[in-house]
Amino acid sequence: MAKPFFRLQKFLRRTQFLLFFLTAAYLMTGSLLLLQRARVGLPPGPRAPGPLQALPVAAVALGVGLLDSRALHDPRVSPELLLGVDVLRGPLARPRPGPRWLRSRNSELRQLRRRWFHHFKGDPQGPPALGPEAPRPAASSQGTYMGCFSDDGQERTLKGAVFFDLRKMTVSHCQNACAERSYVYAGLEAGAECYCGNRLPAMSMGPEECNHECKGEKSSVCGGVGRLSVYRVEQLQPGSRKRRTVTYRGCFRLLENVTHAFPDSLVQANVTVETCSGFCSQKEFPLAILRGWECYCAYPTPQFNLRDAVDSSLCGQESEAQRLAEYCEVYQTPVQDTRCTDRRFLPTKSKVFVALSSFPGAGNTWARHLIEHATGFYTGSYYFDGTLYNKGFKGEKDHWRSRRTICVKTHESGRREIEMFDSAILLIRNPYRSLVAEFNRKCAGHLGYAADRNWKSKEWPDFVNSYASWWSSHVLDWLKYGKRLLVVHYEQLRRSLVPTLREMVAFLNVSVSEERLLCVENNKEGSFRRRGRRPHDLEPFTPAMKDLINGYIRTVDRALRDHNWAGLPREYVPR
């Protein structure tokens, strides 16, 4: 009996070894085929390795499903490796078509988390993808190429109108953005970043230092790592938007000693609003102050904060009389208040892991804009949204568990996801407004409006029925499982921005000057105003929808009071 058993055992061992050998051979063959396919169609000559050529064997194994899917969210796995994984996956791994709000909430959030990898095909901080020839200044640009400059210093010279575009950045695109804001110089860095200003950087570099191609314009130079390709903006390109104009901010009482209160001034006969605004824009001041023949340039300060406007008729006197008066007209120039535009990652990993939690459509992106400019540190995100990265949210590309950001955006509401954070700012917005904002985003992106056909179709009632209860459960879960909370109402942040933002910054344990907070107030809108035509129907909610939402409002209001927070504003329920 022992002999047949021994033969069977020996056969099974050989079979196991044979299966292992065949599996290994299959994986190696598949890896070689994938790498060979990546090389097909490449022109001759030197070329930097593409994303597939540089993939390690582990990435290939993950691509064919041998590694656990949890590696997608492992902080030890680099974004470049995960990008390669997404390229390797076939159509079967992609989400099924159909309205997203008809799927489960967790499924949608997982798709949001992975969306970032489909947006990016390269890293602006990585090595340049050079062709056989080095990139050259764009010949099609209407501006003048000024040269290559260093951008390694602590104080950036070109620090206005910062934005990124990892797929379509061109020299003309950057020039137009700077020209619209009345800037003189446009600087491009790392192939995808655009900066504007009215002064050239101090340190000039050799042309070989700017060796990155523009992401959307091959063979054109777009700076390098810590290097700016600077162009002088001559005029707007045909078809671009018009230059931004000055905005009247009101009539104000002048300070006692204006020559010491305001940094720069211009005095000339018959000075106009255009002359004063142009002079202050060239000096990169956001405010142009006009009194008779006198023009002053300034920033908002605690002594001159634009909150105490007086009757405009007090500024309507004759020029000679007004020159001696104590009132002035204040105009907002097209240039940006740059005192709060510098941002960076935390110098050391944060010991307190903070969430910026909200229901979708509650103003989380706008709150991140305010926090980043107030603190000077990037915010992170649980979902990696490439559109927001291009808008300047550099923390989008950082792993959400890196602890290099001041706080992390999240819409999660499960107990496990909540308890991962040490504290949280819980942002709450009127559910009627939140639902409309999120439906607009789903149908038309971050800055668009849903079309009339979307509101009149079955999509809208299905969306309300699915998402209204989520608005309630999101707040209830964070009140129940959150360890340390600061509850902020979106409407309160809108009405009383500086005091509310000061409270949020203190919760994040960051000390901020009053001037920086005033700079944030001066730039409070950022780039997040929706464009296009609003829908005709201003009341998309039926009586049945209102009854459903009002019930959730009462539930959340009672829960907030039970946890010793102020209840919801009365305006949440339509009356």
Side-chain angles (χ1 to χ4, degrees):
M1 186 68 185
K3 192 171 181 180
F5 179 79
F6 175 78
R7 288 180 177 175
L8 178 62
Q9 187 179 22
K10 188 176 180 180
F11 173 75
L12 291 176
R13 285 178 181 175
R14 288 180 178 177
T15 305
Q16 184 178 11
F17 176 80
L18 180 61
L19 288 174
F20 175 81
F21 177 80
L22 290 175
T23 303
Y26 174 77
L27 290 176
M28 291 178 65
T29 304
S31 302
L32 291 173
L33 288 174
L34 286 170
L35 294 175
Q36 182 64 26
R37 185 182 302 174
R39 294 188 178 95
V40 174
L42 295 180
R47 184 181 178 94
L52 287 177
Q53 291 172 288
L55 281 178
V57 175
V60 178
L62 180 58
V64 296
L66 294 181
L67 296 184
D68 196 296
S69 62
R70 288 172 295 181
L72 287 171
H73 311 300
D74 194 329
R76 295 169 296 180
V77 180
S78 68
E80 290 78 7
L81 184 142
L82 292 176
L83 174 61
V85 172
D86 237 24
V87 174
L88 288 174
R89 289 181 176 176
L92 294 178
R94 297 185 181 176
R96 291 173 294 175
R100 288 186 179 178
W101 48 88
L102 296 181
R103 305 178 199 158
S104 70
R105 295 168 189 160
N106 289 336
S107 173
E108 180 185 15
L109 291 175
R110 283 195 297 270
Q111 296 303 329
L112 281 171
R113 230 172 287 156
R114 294 169 184 162
R115 184 191 303 164
W116 175 78
F117 301 113
H118 295 285
H119 275 280
F120 301 121
K121 302 302 180 187
D123 187 346
Q125 301 300 331
L130 297 179
E133 298 180 1
R136 300 179 298 273
S140 60
S141 169
Q142 294 187 8
T144 303
Y145 183 63
M146 305 302 296
C148 183
F149 294 85
S150 174
D151 195 37
D152 289 336
Q154 294 290 329
E155 183 68 16
R156 183 187 296 276
T157 305
L158 304 181
K159 53 184 179 180
V162 179
F163 72 98
F164 312 139
D165 196 328
L166 288 177
R167 293 186 298 167
K168 301 177 183 178
M169 179 61 75
T170 65
V171 174
S172 298
H173 184 26
C174 182
Q175 283 190 11
N176 283 336
C178 296
E180 288 165 13
R181 296 161 175 83
S182 297
Y183 286 108
V184 177
Y185 297 109
L188 296 105
E189 182 172 337
E193 303 178 10
C194 175
Y195 303 94
C196 307
N198 286 336
R199 293 181 292 114
L200 281 174
M203 187 177 296
S204 179
M205 308 300 294
E208 70 281 355
E209 296 285 331
C210 291
N211 52 12
H212 276 54
E213 288 183 331
C214 300
K215 294 295 183 180
E217 189 176 20
K218 298 303 180 184
S219 299
S220 293
V221 62
C222 274
V225 178
R227 300 291 183 265
L228 283 168
S229 295
V230 180
Y231 295 81
R232 183 179 179 87
V233 178
E234 302 293 342
Q235 57 184 336
L236 286 171
Q237 300 281 347
S240 61
R241 289 187 301 215
K242 296 180 180 179
R243 286 183 183 270
R244 296 186 179 183
T245 57
V246 297
T247 304
Y248 179 65
R249 296 296 300 268
C251 180
F252 294 85
R253 185 186 296 272
L254 267 179
L255 300 177
E256 291 184 2
N257 194 339
V258 292
T259 56
H260 289 84
F262 301 135
D264 214 328
S265 62
L266 171 69
V267 179
Q268 69 178 42
N270 300 323
V271 65
T272 63
V273 174
E274 291 76 15
T275 303
C276 185
S277 172
F279 173 77
C280 294
S281 294
Q282 175 117 25
K283 301 287 186 178
E284 296 193 30
F285 286 104
L287 298 182
I289 302 165
L290 194 62
R291 182 183 69 167
W293 293 350
E294 301 171 357
C295 168
Y296 299 98
C297 306
Y299 296 106
T301 63
Q303 295 76 30
F304 195 76
N305 56 28
L306 303 186
R307 296 188 198 132
D308 304 319
V310 298
D311 189 350
S312 295
S313 62
L314 295 173
C315 293
Q317 307 171 25
E318 294 296 330
S319 60
E320 180 63 23
Q322 187 177 345
R323 186 173 65 83
L324 303 174
E326 56 183 359
Y327 299 102
C328 61
E329 295 175 316
V330 179
Y331 295 87
Q332 185 92 30
T333 68
V335 302
Q336 190 176 17
D337 190 339
T338 56
R339 295 175 298 168
C340 57
T341 56
D342 58 303
R343 289 164 291 166
R344 58 193 176 100
F345 289 103
L346 294 173
T348 58
K349 289 189 177 181
S350 174
K351 296 181 181 178
V352 181
F353 197 27
V354 186
L356 177 62
S357 178
S358 74
F359 175 77
N364 198 304
T365 300
W366 180 61
R368 291 177 65 190
H369 162 77
L370 299 176
I371 291 172
E372 287 195 1
H373 284 75
T375 64
F377 296 114
Y378 289 118
T379 58
S381 175
Y382 195 67
Y383 308 108
F384 303 108
D385 191 324
T387 304
L388 295 182
Y389 185 94
N390 287 347
K391 286 291 182 182
F393 289 96
K394 212 165 189 175
E396 281 287 324
K397 201 174 180 184
D398 209 53
H399 194 278
W400 65 279
R401 278 183 171 174
S402 70
R403 293 180 178 258
R404 298 200 308 156
T405 54
I406 193 68
C407 61
V408 176
K409 164 190 172 178
T410 180
H411 300 312
E412 302 288 331
S413 56
R415 177 175 181 175
R416 183 177 65 87
E417 288 81 3
I418 293 173
E419 290 182 345
M420 289 188 298
F421 295 96
D422 302 316
S423 59
I425 297 174
L426 179 59
L427 184 64
I428 305 175
R429 187 183 185 184
N430 187 323
Y432 289 96
R433 301 280 186 179
S434 295
L435 290 170
V436 169
E438 178 62 6
F439 190 70
N440 279 324
R441 186 197 68 79
K442 284 181 172 295
C443 296
H446 287 281
L447 301 178
Y449 289 101
D452 290 339
R453 65 178 181 275
N454 298 120
W455 298 101
K456 296 175 182 178
S457 70
K458 195 174 182 295
E459 297 174 3
W460 170 241
D462 288 341
F463 174 82
V464 172
N465 290 333
S466 174
Y467 269 51
S469 62
W470 185 10
W471 176 87
S472 172
S473 64
H474 179 272
V475 178
L476 297 179
D477 283 355
W478 278 93
L479 290 175
K480 183 177 181 180
Y481 301 118
K483 299 174 185 176
R484 175 174 169 261
L485 290 181
L486 173 66
V487 175
V488 174
H489 295 289
Y490 173 89
E491 295 76 14
Q492 174 191 5
L493 191 59
R494 275 284 181 193
R495 283 192 301 264
S496 183
L497 189 144
V498 171
T500 307
L501 187 56
R502 188 184 294 115
E503 186 180 1
M504 295 166 67
V505 169
F507 182 82
L508 295 170
N509 198 27
V510 179
S511 58
V512 177
S513 66
E514 192 69 17
E515 284 77 9
R516 188 162 186 121
L517 290 175
L518 291 172
C519 170
V520 178
E521 184 181 39
N522 209 32
N523 295 331
K524 63 182 179 182
E525 295 302 336
S527 304
F528 308 104
R529 280 192 175 275
R530 294 189 182 275
R531 296 187 296 267
R533 184 175 60 85
R534 290 177 179 270
H536 293 299
D537 186 8
L538 299 179
E539 183 51 74
F541 298 96
T542 64
M545 292 179 185
K546 290 183 179 180
D547 290 340
L548 176 69
I549 296 170
N550 290 345
Y552 291 131
I553 289 175
R554 286 188 286 270
T555 300
V556 171
D557 180 74
R558 187 166 51 251
L560 285 169
R561 297 179 189 277
D562 290 344
H563 286 80
N564 300 319
W565 290 100
L568 295 174
R570 292 176 59 83
E571 66 193 62
Y572 276 30
V573 180
R575 300 178 186 278

